[in-house]
Amino acid sequence: MSTTDNAKVRLHVVTGKGGTGKSTVAAALALALASTGKRVLLCEVEGRQGIAQMFDVPPLPYEERRIAAGLPGADGATPGEVHALHIDAESAFLEYLSMYYKLGRAGRALDRFGVIEFATTIAPGVRDVLLTGKVFEAAKTERRKGTSSKDRQGYDAIVLDAPPTGRITQFLNVNKELAGLAKVGPIKAQADTVMTLFRSPQTAVHLVTVLEEMPVQETADGIAELRDARLPVGGVIVNLVRPRDLSAATLASIADDTVDRAAVAARLQEAGVDADDAVVDGLLAEARDHAERRALEESQRALVAEMGTATYELPRIAGGLDLGALYELAGMLREQGLA
């Protein structure tokens, strides 16, 4: 199994098939990383304002905002901070024009005429360079220890809530995407510099999945594509895991239809349930469905174990997702060694 030295990683890229909860995992990871005094930046690039919704704060502008404190450290250390940044390509393009071409007012004029939206739409490779470039700018300067606000600038860790698994290699492999668009100039130089970080031990791409056939297969395909592109794979986070309420022996007897019906009826009677044949039949039918589901999950868990990465598991949280649930998940990631 290949392993990532999490202590060396500063940029954690979180991806996953839609519906697996990758944004939730990214937010929980940011909180976990902030648990030992780290100053963490949580970034999003998909334009959904998901961070604001999860942390119950107003929609984020194109600037860094403090949104939460981390978990208290296990050794009593003062918790760090989580800051957030909502990155959109149009704002990144305006900043790029200002930095490299000194187009302040002129850049904003282009925006009013729709030129920027046009440019970032017809050239997705350029769009990805702008988005990843902003993440790189945040990551390139480590936090300097000190007490003054100036000395505290920079981040110990960055978590990127990235595009889904099916697009993650294209998104991160910006050099390849730019091959036919820009061979020289500032944007090509920026892409080269970004790739140096993305292919370094300071970066890890974590993939979120659930124990279902399509997400697990897409995770396996994503890992293969990332490795082919020489991008560093971190861990696989198995999310939304159901509790294991029944033993393996009980599940086997349900699947084999060897359950003692009389014993089931007696237990129901003890619980005050009128256990006629119809009730027992209905209960056993639901139990068989549950056993089949468990068998499928175990087969998918075995496939995840064969992917050659570190694996982490997070449960399905009863009662829905709120800030308290994010802290609960953060604690589990910290306990399992991802943070």
Side-chain angles (χ1 to χ4, degrees):
M1 174 185 293
S2 64
T3 59
T4 300
D5 187 349
N6 290 324
K8 293 182 179 179
V9 176
R10 291 190 60 241
L11 174 58
H12 297 262
V13 180
V14 181
T15 184
K17 181 176 171 58
T20 60
K22 72 173 179 67
S23 296
T24 299
V25 172
L29 178 56
L31 288 170
L33 288 165
S35 65
T36 55
K38 290 182 178 179
R39 192 168 187 258
V40 182
L41 180 65
L42 174 61
C43 305
E44 63 181 357
V45 294
E46 295 185 273
R48 295 184 288 106
Q49 287 287 349
I51 294 175
Q53 295 173 30
M54 286 186 289
F55 286 87
D56 194 23
V57 297
L60 297 169
Y62 183 68
E63 63 183 41
E64 297 155 28
R65 291 283 177 89
R66 182 187 183 281
I67 58 170
L71 289 164
D75 57 357
T78 302
E81 301 174 340
V82 177
H83 294 245
L85 176 62
H86 174 81
I87 307 172
D88 66 272
E90 288 74 20
S91 297
F93 197 9
L94 284 172
E95 186 175 55
Y96 171 83
L97 293 174
S98 176
M99 288 175 60
Y100 289 100
Y101 295 100
K102 310 303 180 185
L103 294 182
R105 288 184 175 179
R108 288 189 289 274
L110 289 174
D111 190 26
R112 286 197 298 272
F113 287 108
V115 174
I116 292 174
E117 182 180 0
F118 176 74
T120 56
T121 299
I122 64 170
V126 172
R127 183 184 186 90
D128 288 347
V129 170
L130 294 168
L131 295 173
T132 55
K134 184 63 177 178
V135 176
F136 171 79
E137 290 296 323
K140 72 178 182 181
T141 304
E142 293 192 44
R143 181 187 175 194
R144 293 175 301 225
K145 304 303 180 183
T147 56
S148 71
S149 60
K150 180 179 179 180
D151 288 339
R152 289 176 61 84
Q153 290 179 359
Y155 295 95
D156 301 300
I158 294 91
V159 178
L160 172 60
D161 180 9
T165 313
R167 210 176 82 76
I168 188 62
T169 301
Q170 174 187 346
F171 176 75
L172 294 176
N173 197 12
V174 289
N175 263 356
K176 181 178 179 181
E177 294 305 306
L178 275 182
L181 294 171
K183 300 185 184 299
V184 295
I187 199 162
K188 177 62 167 63
Q190 184 177 17
D192 290 340
T193 305
V194 167
M195 288 309 303
T196 301
L197 170 65
F198 285 175
R199 288 190 170 131
S200 77
Q202 292 191 72
T203 298
V205 184
H206 308 295
L207 298 95
V208 181
T209 188
V210 294
L211 294 175
E212 298 175 4
E213 292 179 353
M214 287 185 65
V216 168
Q217 183 59 55
E218 189 165 311
T219 299
D221 294 342
I223 289 174
E225 291 176 2
L226 287 165
R227 287 175 174 162
D228 285 345
R230 295 185 294 116
L231 291 163
V233 177
V236 173
I237 299 102
V238 181
N239 195 27
L240 302 173
V241 175
R242 291 175 173 81
R244 300 180 184 182
D245 297 324
L246 300 178
S247 68
T250 300
L251 290 171
S253 66
I254 293 169
D256 296 340
D257 202 19
T258 57
V259 176
D260 187 339
R261 291 176 57 89
V264 172
R267 292 290 298 273
L268 289 172
Q269 292 286 3
E270 291 174 5
V273 178
D274 186 9
D276 58 19
D277 287 343
V279 171
V280 175
D281 287 343
L283 182 62
L284 291 178
E286 290 186 12
R288 281 190 291 274
D289 289 343
H290 178 77
E292 290 175 2
R293 174 71 190 179
R294 276 281 173 263
L296 173 63
E297 289 180 351
E298 290 306 319
S299 69
Q300 297 306 308
R301 183 177 275 110
L303 292 175
V304 171
E306 295 173 1
M307 292 179 186
T309 69
T311 304
Y312 312 88
E313 289 199 4
L314 293 175
R316 184 183 298 272
I317 300 293
L321 182 69
D322 56 17
L323 190 55
L326 282 179
Y327 277 106
E328 185 177 350
L329 295 174
M332 295 175 190
L333 290 177
R334 184 178 68 181
E335 290 171 5
Q336 293 178 59
L338 183 54

